[in-house]
Amino acid sequence: MKKQPLPYFSCAFLLLIIMALISCQEQMYEPNPDESLVLKRGGQGGKSPADVEQGDLYGDLLEEERTFAGVPVLYPLKYRADFQDQIVEGIIDVPNPRLNGPFELTIYVRDEFGYVVMDAPSGGGDPVPRTTTVMIYPGDDGFLNDEGEFSPVVLYDMEGEILEDVVPHVFPVEQGRLNLIRTNDGVITNRMAEVIKNFGNGTVADVIRDYCGRLFMVRTQEALNLGIADKPIDSPLENLAVYYEIMLNGFSRSAIDNGLLFLIEQEGDFGGFRFQSRLDSRWNEGAQEFGGLLTGEEKHHFVANLAASCIAAGSDKTDFLIIDEIVLVNRFMGIPKAIGNDIDKPADQVISFFPYIEQEVRMMDKTDKHQYVKYRYYVDYSFFNYTRQKFEETLIDYCTIVGDYDSLGNLVGSHVEVLAPNLTLNDILMGDAPLTAEALEIYRYTQKAEQQTSGALGFANQADDYVQALEVVHDNEEFLVWKVPTPTWAQNPVLFREYAPFNYIPDEEVHSKKPEGKGDDESTNTGGGGSGGGRR
């Protein structure tokens, strides 16, 4: 039967409801701190560059050539423009987008000095740019460079805009759920207040990190008796709020100022968890207390490990996090936070827990064609090193729930059968586990071959590994990460616990409120720790 259109009053009523719901939502899509980043209609998840129309791209949000530290590599594009019968010359710094393969392109011909050659038409009139059609061959990494036949500037027009014919051949950055970072400061502030409230309600005995690095609340015995379970901080917005805070301030700000100082030291009657964590690049050294770290580099690693898990928990669990996406999230959120920088003027103050790099970017004013400068600030990830040892030592079982039937064929219950015991997350994500081919195609690292990375790529690899760990466990009952208490169906809990990475150094002075057998232990006879719960 053909559906009839809704009556006018019904449509109007529905419209009013939708408008009311929108007005009640938190203000999610406010202008971002970096006004040079403009979102268009948004990327199309899963599409290859050739399938994405120009209008679907995120403005200038493309995969770009970057330095070891994570800063875009810029190339000088010389321009010569006419404004009110005056010739204006200048330089535009343009990034180098990653290309998906060879393609034919009509480019502007430039002279030995780098300016576009202008030819006067034979019949008179204004000069026109000389063009030629060439084949563009990107390198194995997808980039052009000055050592090749063509510089990346050939991909741009005379005003620094990427050529329309290049658009189908570039890789746009797909942000998915990380579009949440377009929220205004008020929402981030409110979510941070919620995180602090969760830790300050008297139910938390200890703070650890779970199997995918998230902050995890270990409850007091009193809370457990009331049925309040251990749980991670799993809200995407709350994780992004934590990310924003620690990227700018680490653990230096008080809870009164919406900070996380309470995680590492007492603030009156609040906090004092003396938060500990293993440094993922130095796993064998055991859990480290932040307050006991001696060097700035150690503290940077400690906070960066947590930051990587926070941005992972804020992203889509089916996403692949890359450094371009992370750096663009930083630019949207204003990380590092530059205060007082303006046109042709560097910042008066830069707030960043991590080392940062100031980059001078030359631009052209589209109105009067004059050259000006903007200063951009990037986290310097050069200090960072990462290995996957955490995932090599994270035990996870591949199991199934089997129905139990009586002699008449009636279902009387169910039980868990372990199909492949003593796996690690690394086995699954590297494709080394005895799983089906379909499962191994779904659960995998983005870059399988690299077990140790550093710099900006290392930070992105760690964040992406956390995403893939979430993907494995989230809403997949066949995967079980070791939890407290030991599952009743485990045959040998001591052997199962041997490799558990969720271990803390037992110290009653540090964890005076810790229930017996909860949280971290170096011993193989007690506490595991990570939660098998997925992200919501």
Side-chain angles (χ1 to χ4, degrees), residues 397-460:
D397 272 349
Y398 186 55
C399 61
T400 185
I401 297 178
V402 179
D404 296 325
Y405 297 86
D406 61 20
S407 59
L408 300 177
N410 299 314
L411 181 66
V412 294
S414 62
H415 69 279
V416 174
E417 289 186 0
V418 180
L419 304 180
N422 291 340
L423 296 176
T424 69
L425 270 175
N426 191 65
D427 291 335
I428 296 168
L429 296 174
M430 288 293 290
D432 296 332
L435 308 181
T436 64
E438 291 78 7
L440 292 177
E441 180 62 26
I442 294 171
Y443 308 118
R444 58 190 173 88
Y445 286 129
T446 305
Q447 296 182 332
K448 289 187 176 183
E450 297 295 333
Q451 286 298 95
Q452 182 170 351
T453 48
S454 55
L457 179 60
F459 183 81

Side-chain angles (χ1 to χ4, degrees), residues 172-186:
V173 175
E174 304 289 348
Q175 287 195 306
R177 183 187 276 165
L178 284 173
N179 273 322
L180 291 172
I181 50 87
R182 290 190 289 170
T183 180
N184 63 15
D185 289 342

Side-chain angles (χ1 to χ4, degrees), residues 140-202:
D140 293 339
D141 57 1
F143 296 113
L144 300 180
N145 57 66
D146 282 332
E147 296 178 358
E149 184 177 1
F150 298 108
S151 166
V153 300
V154 302
L155 306 175
Y156 293 83
D157 66 16
M158 291 184 292
E159 295 191 346
E161 298 292 339
I162 211 160
L163 292 169
E164 183 176 350
D165 290 343
V166 175
V167 169
H169 304 283
V170 299
F171 286 85
V173 175
E174 304 289 348
Q175 287 195 306
R177 183 187 276 165
L178 284 173
N179 273 322
L180 291 172
I181 50 87
R182 290 190 289 170
T183 180
N184 63 15
D185 289 342
V187 175
I188 291 294
T189 299
N190 291 340
R191 291 301 180 132
M192 194 66 222
E194 284 296 314
V195 171
I196 295 171
K197 181 181 177 181
N198 289 335
F199 282 99
N201 61 9

Side-chain angles (χ1 to χ4, degrees), residues 196 199-200 245 251-274 513:
I196 295 171
F199 282 99
E245 174 62 23
F251 300 110
S252 66
R253 295 207 309 166
S254 167
I256 297 174
D257 298 320
N258 241 23
L260 294 168
L261 177 64
F262 68 88
L263 288 179
I264 63 171
E265 64 182 58
Q266 196 80 22
E267 293 190 62
D269 296 330
F270 184 69
F273 299 109
R274 295 180 69 176
K513 297 179 290 184

